[in-house]
């Protein structure tokens, strides 16, 4: 039986753009597990409340429900050890945890600022009031003020990717010789931007662009085939 994934959607239910849900989509594909996605919107909190979560991704695997993309990755790794490994062992898991924390605390907030009005524009109208109120409370500014000056902010974001460029100059994937969950984490961020906005985060000659191209092709082009705006 396929695993169910509650997956953030825009007004167009086919537009799936959450960076965290993309981590989970990639992790499920990496494990070769079938998934049935359910489009979820911010107004649908009652649909995931029974699973003890207020955010997506949430997966339901038979009797088990797991929320939070990191917890889901660990669940998949520990529940399906005979399938391709997401982490490549305990030190790989520990290092991926660092990438996860870096993406969550540094990269995703920076990207979120750049894209906030693009995200807002694609949401279902039923999500507009909640999204504006919750994000304006988070940033302490209007969405318009958060988004202002994005050219300048883009330069800072590109500089923040420096460690990734350095790693990719030595090895093809963050995971080393093969993609690992660390790659899926960062890919989730870039796929978020790619799906929700035409604002390009990466320069064409950035090594991350070439890496993203290879990530887009994994698992029969799962990322490549996503609906974009
Ligand atoms: N730490 C969580 C973060 C998940 C998260 O922030 N999800 C967003 C969508 S991208 C969400 O569901 N937000 C609900 C809300 O803001 O009310 C994870 O890694 O899964």
């Amino acid at each position: 039986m396929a695993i169910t994934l509650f997956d953030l959607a825009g007004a167009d239910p086919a537009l799936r753009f959450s960076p965290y849900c993309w981590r989970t989509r990639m992790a499920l594909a990496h494990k070769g597990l079938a998934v049935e996605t359910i489009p979820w919107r911010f107004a649908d909190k009652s649909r995931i409340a029974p699973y003890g979560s207020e955010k997506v991704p949430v997966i339901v695997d038979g009797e088990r429900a797991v929320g939070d993309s990191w917890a889901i990755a660990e669940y998949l790794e520990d529940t399906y050890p005979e399938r391709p490994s997401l982490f490549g062992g305990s030190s790989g898991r520990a290092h991926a945890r660092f990438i996860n924390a870096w993406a969550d605390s540094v990269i995703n907030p920076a990207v979120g600022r750049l894209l906030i009005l693009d995200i807002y524009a694609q949401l279902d109208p039923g999500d507009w009031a909640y999204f504006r109120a919750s994000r304006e409370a988070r940033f302490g500014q209007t969405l318009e003020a958060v988004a202002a000056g994005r050219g300048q902010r883009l330069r800072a974001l590109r500089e923040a990717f420096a460690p990734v460029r350095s790693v990719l100059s030595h090895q093809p994937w963050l995971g080393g010789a093969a993609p690992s969950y660390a790659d899926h984490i960062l890919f989730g961020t870039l796929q978020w931007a790619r799906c929700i906005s035409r604002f390009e985060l990466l320069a064409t000659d950035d090594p991350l662009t070439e890496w993203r191209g290879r990530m887009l092709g994994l698992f029969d082009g799962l990322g490549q085939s996503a609906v974009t705006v």
Side-chain angles (χ1 to χ4, degrees):
M1 204 172 71
I3 290 175
T4 301
L5 167 66
F6 289 91
D7 193 11
L8 184 63
D12 174 358
L15 181 65
R16 309 297 176 86
F17 57 94
S18 157
Y20 307 102
C21 294
W22 269 105
R23 292 177 189 174
T24 299
R25 285 296 299 277
M26 296 297 279
L28 287 162
H30 188 124
K31 284 280 180 198
L33 293 163
V35 61
E36 187 192 325
T37 67
I38 298 181
W40 181 90
R41 303 208 172 91
F42 292 102
D44 294 335
K45 286 195 189 279
S46 62
R47 294 178 71 192
I48 54 172
Y51 308 115
S53 187
E54 292 193 336
K55 295 181 175 183
V56 291
V58 171
I59 62 160
V60 183
D61 184 14
E63 299 288 297
R64 293 285 311 272
V66 189
D68 186 88
S69 59
W70 179 262
I72 292 169
E74 291 205 297
Y75 166 81
L76 295 176
E77 185 77 340
D78 297 339
T79 309
Y80 299 99
E82 73 290 356
R83 288 172 177 263
S85 174
L86 288 169
F87 299 121
S90 59
S91 15
R93 188 184 299 223
H95 294 154
R97 192 188 282 278
F98 172 79
I99 301 288
N100 205 70
W102 176 67
D104 287 3
S105 59
V106 178
I107 298 299
N108 284 1
V111 172
R113 283 193 85 106
L114 293 173
L115 303 180
I116 200 120
L117 286 177
D118 304 86
I119 298 168
Y120 184 70
Q122 296 304 326
L123 294 178
D124 188 77
D127 279 350
W128 281 342
Y130 169 78
F131 185 83
R132 180 174 281 280
S134 60
R135 272 48 182 180
E136 290 187 348
R138 182 186 294 176
F139 287 104
Q141 288 177 305
T142 64
L143 298 187
E144 289 71 16
V146 171
R150 74 176 174 176
Q152 194 63 33
R153 291 183 195 282
L154 178 62
R155 267 195 290 283
L157 177 73
R158 288 179 176 179
E159 280 166 24
F161 286 135
V164 181
R165 271 178 219 113
S166 174
V167 170
L168 293 177
S169 73
H170 294 284
Q171 58 196 53
W173 309 96
L174 295 180
S180 76
Y181 191 66
D183 292 271
H184 303 327
I185 293 166
L186 189 62
F187 175 73
T189 302
L190 298 179
Q191 183 73 337
W192 174 30
R194 186 177 165 274
C195 291
I196 204 74
S197 173
R198 299 207 177 135
F199 184 70
E200 185 49 73
L201 297 185
L202 302 175
T204 27
D205 60 351
D206 190 326
L208 269 80
T209 302
E210 190 273 331
W211 166 84
R212 180 181 59 184
R214 286 184 280 121
M215 290 296 301
L216 286 167
L218 292 179
F219 317 129
D220 298 323
L222 173 64
Q224 188 71 59
S225 62
V227 170
T228 62
V229 291

